[in-house]
Amino acid sequence: MTLERTFKAKAVRLNYLDYGSSSDPPLVMLHGGAWRWQEYLSLIPSLGRRWRTYALDLRGNGRSGWIPDTYRLQDFAEDNAEFVSRLNAPAVLVGHSIGGVIALMVAARCPGKVKALIIEDVPLTLDNYRRVVDSSRDMFGLWLGLKKSAQSEQELSLALADAYKDYPGVTSTWMLFFAGCLWQLDPTFFNALLHDFEGFAEGYDYRDILSKIECPVLFLRGESKLGAVMTDDEISWLQQNFGNAQCSRIDGVGHLLHLQDEGQTPVLTAMRTFLERV
């Protein structure tokens, strides 16, 4: 059975997809920033054969509720820790980009409710996170400007298509998906990230967080030259200091990983291989 449902967290109403058999163990998927649960649409049917898959919209994204100017890492972690804590069994958490950071924070908050983690291309250290944000300011500004000026989702999709007309590999399918995400996004979503990074990242100390996580973790990233944000130094630190981590690079893709045609099959293969041992 496949249904979109609503979870009433303390602070906000969260929209999520519920896919798979109620007798299977839970797997929770957290999308990247400014997107929605459909980011994982191509992976859900395969993973749902063994796992009861929950794919959530973060607050301010998709069909979840808006809380203007309340989009800090701790806010997202509180929402999703509450969701995970109410499941009837420990869950596997899958998170991409900011969703991966949130998944790490949730696992540290309620380790007894998390069975394993799959983390896709996160900036692990705060210095790297800040660098990624600073390098993305113009992009985020473009998105918000186009959203503000558009009168409809269709108009927004055309404006995005024009803005990215010279970018190789940007397809109509991607434009339609992202226009829908951006149209549903709370316009204050980026405020803390862009204008109060210290407040946005408060409570995120990767060393402290990882010290509280004992479950197996798979870290996936693409190639740095193609836009992946996880660095070689971060991977080296994990391999030297975090014994329950497995790190794997997906060649031919950047930060988008499974959202790129070249990445979908190898990402799914890496996930399923890892999950077979969980």
Side-chain angles (χ1 to χ4, degrees):
M1 181 177 291
T2 304
L3 289 173
E4 276 190 279
R5 303 180 185 273
T6 297
F7 174 74
K8 293 183 179 179
K10 292 177 182 177
V12 68
R13 172 189 53 80
L14 297 178
N15 179 69
Y16 68 97
L17 178 80
D18 181 351
Y19 182 93
S21 170
S22 60
S23 62
D24 287 335
L27 182 146
V28 177
M29 311 187 87
L30 304 177
H31 62 78
W35 295 344
R36 52 187 179 181
W37 72 256
Q38 287 89 345
E39 172 190 337
Y40 283 110
L41 192 57
S42 65
L43 306 185
I44 288 170
S46 294
L47 296 176
R49 293 172 187 165
R50 177 186 168 190
W51 302 87
R52 183 169 184 178
T53 303
Y54 302 95
L56 281 76
D57 287 333
L58 301 178
R59 64 164 67 188
N61 294 255
R63 292 184 176 179
S64 287
W66 292 9
I67 310 182
D69 287 313
T70 314
Y71 300 109
R72 303 169 302 163
L73 290 177
Q74 289 199 79
D75 299 321
F76 298 119
E78 287 171 8
D79 296 341
N80 291 284
E82 191 176 351
F83 182 89
V84 169
S85 68
R86 295 193 192 180
L87 296 174
N88 60 7
V92 173
L93 303 188
V94 180
H96 180 208
S97 194
I98 190 176
V101 174
I102 296 164
L104 289 170
M105 295 177 74
V106 170
R109 287 178 180 230
C110 44
K113 298 295 293 184
V114 178
K115 188 174 185 176
L117 291 161
I118 299 176
I119 307 299
E120 294 187 85
D121 202 42
V122 297
L124 191 63
T125 67
L126 281 180
D127 285 344
N128 189 24
Y129 210 145
R130 188 180 290 105
R131 178 191 64 80
V132 171
V133 171
D134 288 341
S135 67
S136 303
R137 288 180 183 276
D138 290 344
M139 179 180 69
F140 294 150
L142 171 66
W143 294 352
L144 291 172
L146 294 178
K147 174 180 171 64
K148 183 177 181 179
S149 62
Q151 300 299 309
S152 67
E153 184 178 330
Q154 183 181 63
E155 186 176 325
L156 179 57
S157 67
L158 287 166
L160 282 167
D162 182 58
Y164 286 94
K165 62 182 181 295
D166 296 324
Y167 283 66
V170 177
T171 65
S172 297
T173 301
W174 170 253
M175 285 300 168
L176 288 169
F177 166 69
F178 185 58
C181 296
L182 193 56
W183 185 249
Q184 291 181 308
L185 184 72
D186 184 340
T188 71
F189 177 80
F190 290 112
N191 285 1
L193 179 70
L194 295 176
H195 307 301
D196 179 23
F197 183 80
E198 297 302 324
F200 167 81
E202 184 179 355
Y204 180 70
D205 179 336
Y206 73 98
R207 290 184 178 88
D208 179 60
I209 286 170
L210 291 172
S211 72
K212 297 175 181 177
I213 296 175
E214 298 181 355
C215 66
V217 186
L218 172 64
F219 286 91
L220 297 175
R221 65 161 177 163
E223 296 186 52
S224 299
K225 66 181 181 181
L226 298 178
V229 302
M230 203 167 195
T231 66
D232 291 339
D233 287 344
E234 289 172 331
I235 295 294
S236 295
W237 185 90
L238 284 168
Q239 292 172 334
Q240 295 170 17
N241 297 280
F242 194 49
N244 46 332
Q246 174 185 337
C247 303
S248 180
R249 192 180 82 170
I250 308 299
D251 292 330
V253 296
H255 181 61
L256 296 182
L257 289 169
H258 63 270
L259 285 163
Q260 294 183 242
D261 290 344
E262 301 88 343
Q264 181 175 321
T265 296
V267 166
L268 181 58
T269 299
M271 287 183 176
R272 293 177 69 175
T273 300
F274 173 76
L275 290 171
E276 286 173 2
R277 300 193 295 270
V278 171

